[in-house]
Amino acid sequence: ARCLRGVACGEQVPDAAEGRGRTMTTTKTGADGPEGSGSGLLPPGWARFTGVLLILLSLLPAAGCAAAFAWCLPYDRARYQDYRAAEACSARELEQGTTDCLSTSPFTVVKTEDRARSNEAFLMGEDSWQRRVSFGDERPLFEQLNAGDRVTATVWRRDIVVLSKDGVRQNTSDAPRDELQANAGLGIVGGLVAAQSFIFGAVRLVRPRGYKPFSWNPFGKWLLLTIFATFFVVAVPAVWLRTPWQAVPPASVAVTVCAAILMNLGLRRRAADGI
């Protein structure tokens, strides 16, 4: 609506037909819709700028994803296989100082510390060097350890991998484990975060005047939380159930895509209902 010539905007104008005053107002419009409409969209210039930043930021989690699948996962798999194939050291191997075999050494417990995230035992060897080993759980051995106890340590590649006392054995945190599902879960989380950042950035470059629903609030925020949740929903149960690690990436992607579709449908329904 335009202001009548000679009449200020917002001024009451006599309505001859109804015999009462009527207020006429004007609304400024912009490229992204009526000003103050609550669209939450950035100006086109800022939208393109944030799009470039999002695309550049996507390179960091993408690099983490590549490192997880190209280096961490193969390294941990090979290390676990080597550990499983290792045998007790022979006298000749002990003389040569070979570290790929399993050797045993006696230690004395100096003290133990029960911490929130790990349980630690400090050991003194015959060479008077003090060693520190960590355990992921108190059972079955750590809870029985006391200062002055004599224990036997199994050493592999200079790491204490097993501690035993009176026939009770417990793996330390340095013992290789077949938990490749966790590596795959962390790697795919990085890949999904990179994909979200890249897509959100690309949409801002292509459609700077209308990039919804690819905005942070609420779709982007909930999608990011869903991506991180896939590690605990897919990868962690896969470790417990001994599921092949190859099943973790497609399952994580499927969960994220389904969640994104449902969230998008829910947002569209709310917008249609005017909520």
Side-chain angles (χ1 to χ4, degrees):
R2 296 182 179 178
C3 298
L4 298 178
R5 181 174 300 178
V7 180
C9 296
E11 181 181 341
Q12 291 189 347
V13 180
D15 191 337
E18 299 181 3
R20 53 187 174 84
R22 183 176 62 189
T23 302
M24 301 182 63
T25 59
T26 60
T27 304
K28 297 180 181 180
T29 58
D32 297 326
E35 186 178 74
S37 61
S39 64
L41 296 178
L42 295 173
W46 278 106
R48 292 190 181 95
F49 178 73
T50 56
V52 173
L53 287 182
L54 288 173
I55 292 176
L56 293 178
L57 289 175
S58 69
L59 299 178
L60 294 177
C65 175
F69 286 100
W71 183 79
C72 295
L73 197 149
Y75 172 81
D76 288 345
R77 178 173 54 189
R79 187 170 184 267
Y80 176 76
Q81 292 174 347
D82 292 343
Y83 175 64
R84 294 285 296 177
E87 298 180 352
C89 296
S90 63
R92 181 178 179 182
E93 289 174 328
L94 290 176
E95 292 178 358
Q96 295 176 347
T98 304
T99 60
D100 283 333
C101 56
L102 301 174
S103 62
T104 56
S105 301
F107 284 88
T108 302
V109 178
V110 178
K111 64 176 181 177
T112 60
E113 293 183 358
D114 188 359
R115 299 186 177 182
R117 295 186 177 180
S118 65
N119 305 302
E120 297 182 345
F122 294 83
L123 311 175
M124 183 71 70
E126 296 179 348
D127 54 4
S128 299
W129 283 90
Q130 184 169 297
R131 304 284 295 274
R132 181 180 64 180
V133 293
S134 300
F135 299 88
D137 196 359
E138 292 185 351
R139 298 179 180 180
L141 178 63
F142 180 80
E143 61 183 1
Q144 303 179 16
L145 296 180
N146 298 296
D149 289 348
R150 296 288 292 176
V151 295
T152 300
T154 300
V155 182
W156 181 72
R157 293 185 179 177
R158 297 187 176 88
D159 291 328
I160 296 178
V161 293
V162 179
L163 210 63
S164 62
K165 170 192 170 186
D166 299 332
V168 181
R169 295 166 54 90
Q170 183 174 352
N171 288 338
T172 69
S173 299
D174 291 327
R177 290 172 172 79
D178 185 16
E179 297 179 349
L180 302 180
Q181 300 89 344
N183 289 349
L186 291 175
I188 199 63
V189 165
L192 291 171
V193 172
Q196 178 185 355
S197 181
F198 180 85
I199 293 173
F200 277 48
V203 171
R204 280 167 168 76
L205 289 179
V206 176
R207 298 174 54 190
R209 299 179 184 275
Y211 50 84
K212 281 192 173 184
F214 298 93
S215 56
W216 170 251
N217 191 21
F219 181 69
K221 175 177 62 178
W222 287 110
L223 181 59
L224 184 63
L225 292 176
T226 301
I227 290 174
F228 283 108
T230 57
F231 178 79
F232 301 97
V233 174
V234 179
V236 173
V239 174
W240 296 340
L241 300 175
R242 314 308 301 171
T243 305
W245 70 265
Q246 293 87 346
V248 173
S252 300
V253 172
V255 170
T256 303
V257 171
C258 291
I261 293 175
L262 292 176
M263 284 188 290
N264 189 25
L265 291 176
L267 291 175
R268 289 178 179 273
R269 188 176 297 110
R270 292 181 58 183
D273 295 341
I275 300 178

